[in-house]
């Protein structure tokens, strides 16, 4: 290695000069200027002459090049000299590879005991009552609860004025979803709210899961109607995504009847596929529908 580096030094186009010894000058404020500019003592010159050897030449020249003391210096660092710092790379711990490795047989776990065996059951605390049983229970989760996404009359009126919803046709929950009046994360249905009811100036007909008293009064005052319809999980999916059943080669499910506890909260059973005309409620409307 030293031979290769010395050969590189011999091929340099410029002579290698011995660096002057670096001495720390005393403070000018304390010592006189003459002492500050005093030449180095002869002991330093002797040490410099003693350091004039092949190894010393390489060390001095290499340090000067590394510090970039002159623009004519050349770097002697090559790719084969690059290596990581000590301790940067550690060998993988290989367990159970014989007694000579120091991690054979018991692999550093010792003899017997709970820690020498496999992991225990999650939450096991050695036989005492675990935390999940020490803490008391609070409340319950109702498996029959329903979550309805709210939508206001003001938002529906805004979409009607923008031309996204046709007020002459029946506005169903599929219409509200397709036009973007409500989000895509619909769980059990839609609840019609009375927010912005003053913007309803014309009759509209809607079919939703639930409706507030204020919203129903505002729609009926404008000459429209609101009907609460029931869909189960499968029927509600068929209402919003009928193309999914066609893609799977399945028929649309038949409308399901509401359970006994919800019969008083709905007006009718939801129709499939999504209807476009409201169900006539009065005798005059039934006669007009039959005549058409």
């Amino acid at each position: 290695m030293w031979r290769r580096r010395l050969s590189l030094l011999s091929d340099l186009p410029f002579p290698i000069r011995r660096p002057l010894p670096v001495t720390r000058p005393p403070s000018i404020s304390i010592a006189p200027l003459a002492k500050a500019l005093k030449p180095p003592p002869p002991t330093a010159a002797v040490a410099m002459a003693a350091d004039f050897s092949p190894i010393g030449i390489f060390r001095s020249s290499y340090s000067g090049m590394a510090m970039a003391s002159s623009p004519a210096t050349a770097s002697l660092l090559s790719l084969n000299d690059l290596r990581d710092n000590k301790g940067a790379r550690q060998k993988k711990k290989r367990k159970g590879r014989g007694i000579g490795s120091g991690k054979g047989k018991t692999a550093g776990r010792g003899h017997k005991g709970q820690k020498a065996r496999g992991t225990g059951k999650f939450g096991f605390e050695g036989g005492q009552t675990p935390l999940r049983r020490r803490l008391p229970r609070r409340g319950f989760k109702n498996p029959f609860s329903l979550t309805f996404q709210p939508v206001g009359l003001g938002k529906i009126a805004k979409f009607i004025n923008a031309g996204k919803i046709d007020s002459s046709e029946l506005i169903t929950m599929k219409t509200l979803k397709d036009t973007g009046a409500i989000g895509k994360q619909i769980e059990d249905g839609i609840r019609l709210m009375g927010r912005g009811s003053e913007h309803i100036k014309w009759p509209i007909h809607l079919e939703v899961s639930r409706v507030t008293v204020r919203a129903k009064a505002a729609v009926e005052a404008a000459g429209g109607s609101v009907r609460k319809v029931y869909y189960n999980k499968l029927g509600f999916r068929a209402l919003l995504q009928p193309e999914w059943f066609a893609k799977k080669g399945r028929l649309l499910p038949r409308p399901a009847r509401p359970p006994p506890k919800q019969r008083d909260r709905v007006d009718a059973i939801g129709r499939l596929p999504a209807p476009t005309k409201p169900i006539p409620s009065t005798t005059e409307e039934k006669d007009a529908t039959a005549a058409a």
Side-chain angles (χ1 to χ4, degrees):
M1 186 176 188
W2 293 109
R3 292 180 180 177
R4 185 175 71 254
R5 293 184 176 179
L6 290 176
S7 62
L8 291 175
L9 288 175
S10 61
D11 296 337
L12 292 176
F14 53 86
I16 300 176
R17 298 180 180 179
R18 292 175 295 178
L20 296 176
V22 180
T23 58
R24 182 178 179 182
S27 177
I28 300 177
S29 61
I30 300 175
L33 183 60
K35 293 184 178 180
L37 301 178
K38 186 178 180 180
T43 55
V46 174
M48 182 175 58
D51 195 28
F52 188 75
S53 61
I55 299 177
I57 291 174
F58 174 78
R59 184 183 295 114
S60 60
S61 61
Y62 184 80
S63 61
M65 293 176 185
M67 294 297 292
S69 58
S70 174
T73 57
S75 176
L76 298 179
L77 188 63
S78 55
L79 293 178
N80 58 344
D81 293 335
L82 295 177
R83 57 180 57 87
D84 293 326
N85 296 330
K86 186 176 181 180
R89 291 175 177 265
Q90 296 182 359
K91 293 184 178 180
K92 181 182 178 181
K93 186 183 294 185
R94 303 174 73 248
K95 297 181 179 180
R97 296 300 189 273
I99 192 173
S101 63
K103 297 294 180 181
K105 191 185 174 183
T106 55
R109 288 176 174 241
H111 290 276
K112 300 183 181 179
Q114 186 179 17
K115 295 183 179 180
R117 296 177 171 89
T119 56
K121 183 180 178 181
F122 179 76
F124 181 70
E125 299 182 9
Q128 69 179 12
T129 306
L131 182 63
R132 66 177 184 275
R133 293 177 57 190
R134 292 198 302 268
L135 298 178
R137 294 184 179 182
R138 292 288 185 270
F140 72 101
K141 183 178 180 180
N142 186 8
F144 303 103
S145 63
L146 300 175
T147 304
F148 301 105
Q149 187 167 354
V151 59
L153 288 174
K155 194 170 187 178
I156 296 177
K158 180 180 178 180
F159 276 69
I160 292 176
N161 294 330
K164 297 181 179 180
I165 297 179
D166 188 4
S167 60
S168 62
E169 295 186 354
L170 178 64
I171 302 175
T172 61
M173 291 181 282
K174 178 175 173 56
T175 307
L176 298 176
K177 175 181 176 297
D178 294 343
T179 55
I182 55 176
K184 297 181 180 179
Q185 302 297 331
I186 310 174
E187 295 187 15
D188 299 311
I190 297 175
R191 184 189 301 273
L192 184 63
M193 310 295 290
R195 295 191 298 264
S197 58
E198 63 276 3
H199 300 289
I200 300 297
K201 306 294 184 181
W202 52 89
I204 56 175
H205 303 277
L206 300 99
E207 283 191 359
V208 292
S209 301
R210 297 290 188 272
V211 59
T212 61
V213 177
R214 178 186 172 188
K216 186 175 182 179
V219 173
E220 291 178 353
S225 63
V226 181
R227 186 181 296 271
K228 296 180 290 183
V229 293
Y230 171 78
Y231 289 98
N232 61 353
K233 290 286 186 180
L234 185 62
F236 194 60
R237 183 177 184 179
L239 174 69
L240 300 181
Q241 299 177 348
E243 63 278 359
W244 184 87
F245 293 85
K247 182 179 179 180
K248 297 292 183 178
R250 302 178 184 178
L251 299 176
L252 292 178
R254 298 181 60 183
R257 297 179 180 179
K261 292 185 177 181
Q262 295 190 30
R263 290 177 183 176
D264 298 336
R265 301 181 180 181
V266 297
D267 299 330
I269 301 174
R271 294 174 289 173
L272 291 175
T276 57
K277 299 295 181 182
I279 299 177
S281 56
T282 62
T283 306
E284 292 78 4
E285 291 179 354
K286 293 182 180 179
D287 297 340
T289 304

